[in-house]
Amino acid sequence: MLHSFQGRLVVILVLFTGAAGAFDSLLMESGLNLFWRAFVFLAAVSLALALVNLPSALYSRFVIEEEFGFNTMKPLLFFADLAKQLVLGAVLLLVVLGGIHTSRILFRQWWWLAAWAFWILFQLLMMVVYPTLIAPLFQQVPALGRRLSENQTGKPCKQERGLPIGAFS
């Protein structure tokens, strides 16, 4: 709960103090085109929120979870995962912004429809990419080693209610 409260507080402060507008004006003066301005702006906001939420994430992982015996992560792995998250987030942000920016250029009047279609395709692609390429970066998934139709002893599982074992595998 503290984690989300800190993030919301920062967003409210940034919006009501005009910091977002000032940062955008600074980026406009830098001479970057719209695509790179949007990337730098969103990446900076994401990084700021990650830094604000870092203390509560550390407390949650290494104090609360440790107290109840759920934590199996070492601090080095925590920061390695954080670095991987930042790099992966930047790459995915580039892909999404690239698709939206390309939609703006190619489909001038109907760019919003093309951007929506791109977003849907991106989400469908992520359903395949996440479990096969992204999740293994953060979690070690052991190989099954035996067929799903065998239990721990290696004996075939019982057939229940007339459904053949492995009918859906």
Side-chain angles (χ1 to χ4, degrees):
M1 186 159 137
L2 180 63
H3 184 76
S4 63
F5 175 74
Q6 289 172 327
R8 288 183 184 143
L9 183 63
V10 167
V11 169
I12 288 170
L13 286 174
V14 166
L15 289 176
F16 288 115
T17 60
F23 184 54
D24 185 48
S25 297
L26 181 70
L27 289 174
M28 286 184 115
E29 293 172 7
S30 71
L32 294 172
N33 68 17
L34 180 63
F35 175 79
W36 289 110
R37 265 195 342 255
F39 175 74
V40 170
F41 184 87
L42 292 173
V45 168
S46 297
L47 185 60
L49 287 173
L51 288 174
V52 166
N53 291 324
L54 184 61
S56 60
L58 286 167
Y59 181 78
S60 173
R61 173 69 67 173
F62 295 109
V63 176
I64 296 174
E65 287 186 15
E66 191 73 35
E67 181 179 334
F68 293 102
F70 296 125
N71 183 26
T72 58
M73 184 178 277
K74 303 288 182 226
L76 184 62
L77 183 59
F78 178 85
F79 287 107
D81 279 355
L82 184 61
K84 286 189 268 187
Q85 288 173 13
L86 291 174
V87 170
L88 183 62
V91 169
L92 292 176
L93 181 60
L94 281 171
V95 170
V96 169
L97 284 177
I100 293 171
H101 188 66
T102 303
S103 298
R104 281 186 56 247
I105 292 170
L106 296 179
F107 302 98
R108 300 223 182 251
Q109 183 180 358
W110 297 97
W111 73 268
W112 55 271
L113 190 59
W116 174 77
F118 169 77
W119 180 251
I120 297 298
L121 290 173
F122 177 77
Q123 292 295 317
L124 291 172
L125 179 67
M126 289 306 293
M127 286 184 197
V128 175
V129 170
Y130 179 79
T132 57
L133 298 176
I134 296 174
L137 293 173
F138 299 97
Q139 303 165 349
Q140 294 179 351
V141 181
L144 290 176
R146 59 173 76 91
R147 291 182 45 89
L148 293 176
S149 63
E150 296 178 357
N151 60 19
Q152 293 291 340
T153 63
K155 296 178 184 174
C157 296
K158 293 182 200 175
Q159 186 173 346
E160 304 254 346
R161 299 182 189 212
L163 291 174
I165 302 296
F168 301 105
S169 59

